[in-house]
Amino acid sequence: MKISAQHQFLPKTPTARSAMVMDHFGIGFETGHHVIASDLELPIAPGSIVLFTGDSGAGKSSLMRAVRQQLEASDETVLDLDELANSEELLVNSFESPLEETLPLLARCGLGESQLMLRTPSELSAGQHYRFKLAQAISQKPDWIVADEFSATLDRELAKVVACNIRRICDQSNIGFLFATTHRDITEDLRPDLHVHCSLDGDIRIENEHS
């Protein structure tokens, strides 16, 4: 899959303050297009984990969105965690799958405590709600699940546990995952099939587990 990603700088109206900044640093407004990648070859395989890492502003989310657009253009079903509808059902009632499938799934996503299963999403913490959305997406069995800033709301030890469980789910279900994050500490547990490292200087490094 060849990926291209860029964004255009919007026209801006100078102000007194912006003029002072430009005079002080000897710069002007950025114009034209900022190219993040042009015809970047990414070996995206069905049912794989693709991880985009890098500092904020390095282009990882833009690259992930470009991959998503191509997958959707190929009629692949893609679910974005940020686009899932909120529900006020009890957690245990929020899934169409049988209970014997729902309970293990909640446990794999870090929601195995019985009292949590009897809460509504609005009664969850930010980290718990994130894990609930992840379980919701997995239960729908799409071709791909997309998550920007993956694991950002989780404490780091739990993030590693969830990452390890997602690796197992991917291997068992053949669901593919596209994750973008600044947190590289989950890489060892997630064991991505494809790891795209983005740098602020524009350098993009690709690690393919199967190469």
Side-chain angles (χ1 to χ4, degrees), residues 1 15-16 24 35 40 51 58 61 80 86 89 95-96 113 119 143 152 159-160 162 167-168 176 181 188 195:
M1 178 185 293
T15 64
H24 182 76
V35 177
L40 177 68
L51 178 65
S61 298
D80 189 322
N86 289 322
E89 293 278 353
F95 300 83
E96 296 183 3
E113 297 178 33
R119 293 180 184 174
D143 294 316
K160 294 178 181 180
V162 171
R167 177 71 264 177
R168 293 173 183 168
T181 182
E188 183 176 345
H195 188 177

Side-chain angles (χ1 to χ4, degrees), residues 106-119:
L106 287 171
R108 289 193 198 101
C109 293
L111 297 170
E113 297 178 33
S114 56
Q115 287 190 331
L116 288 179
M117 298 179 187
L118 300 180
R119 293 180 184 174

